[in-house]
Amino acid sequence: FISTVCNFMSHEKCLKNVKIPCSCIAPSLVRVPVAHCFGPPGHYKRKFCTVCRKSLEAPAFRCEVCELHVHTDCILFACSDCRQCHQDGHLDHDTYHHHWREGNLSSSARCEVCKKTCGSSEVLSGMRCEWCGILAHAACYVIVTPECTFGRLRNMILPPSCVQLFSRNFSKLHCFRISENLQPESDEDDDVDGSTQGSTKDIQISTDSSKQTLKIFDGNDTVKRNQFRLISVPRIAKNEEVVEAALRAYYINDDQQEYELQTFTQQVLLSDDVINRNDAAEDSNLGSVFRESVPEAWIIRAKPKDDEVIRIYPAWLKVGMAYVSLRVNKDSTVQTVIKEVLPLLGRQMECLQNFKLVEVLMGSKQVQRMVLDNQELILNRLKDIRKTSIRQMNQTRFYIVENSKSIVQVNLFVGGLPPQLSAEEYTNILKEELAIKTNVVSVSHVYQAQGAVVLQISCFSEAERIYMLVKDTVVNDKPLNAVVIPAVMASKIPRNCCPLLVFVNPKSGGLKGRDLLYSFRKLLNPHQVFELTNGGPLPGFHTFSKVPSFRVLVCGGDGTVGWVLGALEEIRHKLVCSEPSVAILPLGTGNDLGRVLRWGAGYSGEDPYSILVSVDEADDVLMDRWTILLDAEEPAEGAENGIAEPEPPKIVQMNNYCGLGIDAELSLDFHHAREEEPGKFNSRFHNKGVYVKVGLQKISHTRNLHKDIKLQVDQHEVELPSIEGLIFINIPSWGSGADLWGSESDNRFEKPRIDDGLLEVVGVTGVVHMGQVQGGFRSGIRIAQGSYFRVTLLKPIPVQVDGEPWIQAPGQIIISAAGPKVHMLKKSKQKQKKTGS
């Protein structure tokens, strides 16, 4: 058997065990309507559409928050049944049930109940909870305990009951801080949007002489947008057959007797006469429409009713029932409906004025709520909705809601402002540039060092206006950026919960960063996953500022790790958890810190779930961080006749190593090559190839670096050997995993550790020496070990800190320990062995 609406297939003997609801009744089964978060269309192999159950061969949409996949012309019929990741003031509860999603499981997926295979790559089959990941057959999942405990990752997930976000006017992409410019892999010539003109996926213009193809609109809205569905019916077909086919095309399961067809000229087909427009075409002035392969167009309309039964949902009143049914007639107003419903809910003693009726349109992209006027006639309202779209009527509910003075509070993070200003000065800038209304907008937090503020806005329309305006605003030649951030209610976080704050640099590791963003949003609460190209690390740390205990996962190269650790150091005093432990998922080229902490040489497609389990089981270790003061005593290179002022002192933070001379010169050449053609530098292999190329160009290069600098270690002058490069190392990995210090024992120095409060100083004689170190044939020249260093530059010299190179003017470089040691997470050896096997 096959469903003529949603294409569900079943054996005859299996029909009695079918538990999956058809797409036409799925909207009525949604407990809490939550819109999906669709990114741009893309190609998704071996995935199936949730609405029509067919494979996704053409560009299609996927939700960035849950596992829903859908064709472009099915998107309007998808249920608003996404994961509820935060409280929005409409429904607050602490007990979470499994959030089941059907299909798109791997072929090896096994049912939690019967332990048999439940996945398939051939059809949409099997069920998965999108919070805890439990798998089950469609026939088995109904006996699984309904309460969800969030599974293996429960201690890392930020519970939705602890997150509050008022998001009425913002798209889901904005709410979850998802960049709209992150395009998936798709053909450049595909021009697809969510509003396709008709459904040509299943039905092509009929060439069968016994069939005719018709365009069907479901109301004024689709006529206006020219969004039709195509149906194929026999050339000689009764009106009921066409109506039935039209209802199926729009996933409507109502009685066909309640609907009728109209042409664009509004001529209603009231009789039972057969539709055979093809035979009549020669005798009329309509033209031979089918011979010219132009489908004829009709509008399906609901017949007017004198009375009908409607459902009133009391979900937000917590009364223990899903809905109540109520018969309404042409005299029924919103007020009389409220009056009749309250006794059915056991609230007959309460005042009518304390309640309101809310119309909710459960669209797949947006859930729209509208409070109805007490004197509005219900049947008229239903008639208007059906006239607009019968599909929308199928997705519309009425909720009875208790009046409450809910306080609207939207938090907007605004960055890119001039640093080191007061709250009043920032308010004045925002008044001038954005014309903010101070009666509804206030500055709640100021981050002076970073030039950022958090605005608290008590009006939805003002919040949306500011958000859209910030995108096009420039202050002091620097563009502003805005991020919608949720409020985390720390008091509600369970005691044993230590949420993971995830930062991902989507520009690192080719497209791997983007794929990881998608995976981590699925596995965790998307409100704990932050994209570093969208406001940097500060919005994430601010969101978690009141969380008593949390960990951090940084997905990116060593530069990205340094960026996040630097931001953490600056904001540490404003965090309740001032010393969160930091794990690394290496996506860069060198990834030396990732190697030392056992996270590997670079991400190569490991299962994101396994990565999170490894983070949960990782060991806490301490690591030194260092402050480098750069104090140029002469003008920067290029100043005219030395008249220009010297560069002001600059402070940078160091985690891995600092190099002077040939090491930094190679980094600088690589940096320039990447700036010229950034599109080519999207793989680790290519990047290392460029390093080799620039190194070979310097192979005959000689430089007497020891004559151009002076070194002082812990107040003592150190005589330098004949070298081309001087490197200060904090970790036992340099230049993509090389051991520059070496493993030989030496009585002059202590054995290096990342938390010993000491830096090792090593020299290299040139490119050949560096190549030998990279190959493991030699180590560097050990020069010194200490905790305080002063380097005097006698001429401009290339310098690099953690892979960021520049030319440093003559002057002083002072390196000293930077405050408290930072807590890092080191992958446990046991876990590493398991992964390796």
Side-chain angles (χ1 to χ4, degrees), residues 622-671:
L622 292 173
M623 186 182 79
D624 299 322
R625 293 191 77 231
W626 300 83
T627 296
I628 302 178
L629 174 65
L630 304 157
D631 190 3
E633 294 174 353
E634 294 184 16
E637 193 175 351
E640 295 180 14
N641 302 322
I643 300 173
E645 290 290 320
E647 289 181 1
K650 186 170 73 170
I651 294 176
V652 296
Q653 302 293 327
M654 182 188 101
N655 300 308
N656 300 355
Y657 38 73
C658 168
L660 290 79
I662 187 65
D663 168 50
E665 199 169 333
L666 294 183
S667 290
L668 195 61
D669 289 349
F670 174 83
H671 188 71

Side-chain angles (χ1 to χ4, degrees), residues 414-420 426 447-453 478 538:
V414 179
L417 293 163
Q420 306 300 345
Y426 283 127
Y447 295 100
Q448 292 176 310
Q450 297 82 6
V453 297
K478 190 176 179 183
L538 198 53

